Amino acid sequence: MSQERSAQVMRTYLEEAVSKGNFSVIDEFTAEDFVDQSQPDNRGPAALLAHVSGFRETFPDVEVDVQHVIASDDQAVGIWRMKATHANPFIGVPATNNTLEFTVTSIFSFRDEMLVDYFVVAGLLEAAMQMGVKMEVAETAAT
């Protein structure tokens, strides 16, 4: 797989599946043995579909701003900023209807020109603060 194709798959995922809800593109680039590391028991294109459709249920009006795509022949990293209404439970927090904005990093690995692994890093502290989650710093014993 070329570096250009890796980057194209990442952009297609972010711009079509995540941003527009066009889930039909998932089958075009997802392997049958694909693993979503956030839900490793799920496999194949259905796992990625469950991931992105669940995300869009939580954030139905999501706006995606792709900031960077960095790619090699067998991997792609997409760094994107999202803005959306928190319309359904997210990370254990009931819907607040607050507008959330945070950064997400999506990491894809490819084999034989198909997506086989997905790892995501999201700005959950930023999101939690925008959802009004109260956090306390625990005191630790002095060493």
Side-chain angles (χ1 to χ4, degrees):
M1 187 164 190
S2 70
Q3 177 181 349
E4 294 79 18
R5 177 67 180 145
S6 296
Q8 178 189 26
V9 169
M10 178 61 75
R11 285 195 177 280
T12 298
Y13 171 72
L14 294 174
E15 294 170 356
E16 292 296 321
V18 177
S19 184
K20 296 179 184 173
N22 178 6
F23 304 138
S24 66
V25 299
I26 290 170
D27 286 335
E28 296 172 12
F29 55 76
T30 308
E32 290 301 318
D33 61 344
F34 164 83
V35 177
D36 175 356
Q37 295 300 330
S38 68
Q39 305 170 27
D41 293 335
N42 294 337
R43 303 280 179 176
L48 186 57
L49 174 61
H51 179 101
V52 72
S53 64
F55 179 84
R56 287 197 47 90
E57 285 176 22
T58 301
F59 304 109
D61 62 348
V62 67
E63 297 173 20
V64 173
D65 176 21
V66 179
Q67 297 181 334
H68 301 282
V69 174
I70 304 159
S72 68
D73 292 347
D74 62 355
Q75 290 190 313
V77 176
I79 302 169
W80 48 287
R81 189 100 177 134
M82 62 146 286
K83 179 179 180 180
T85 304
H86 175 214
N88 284 296
F90 180 60
I91 60 169
V93 180
T96 62
N97 292 315
N98 292 351
T99 298
L100 307 185
E101 294 185 55
F102 58 93
T103 300
V104 181
T105 302
S106 295
I107 304 166
F108 282 179
S109 295
F110 301 98
R111 185 186 66 243
D112 299 328
E113 301 203 9
M114 298 298 282
L115 176 62
V116 293
D117 190 80
Y118 178 39
F119 187 81
V120 63
V121 179
L124 298 182
L125 177 59
E126 190 177 9
M129 291 171 52
Q130 293 171 35
M131 290 185 288
V133 173
K134 303 292 182 208
M135 293 181 235
E136 295 181 25
V137 177
E139 290 187 36
T140 58
T143 55

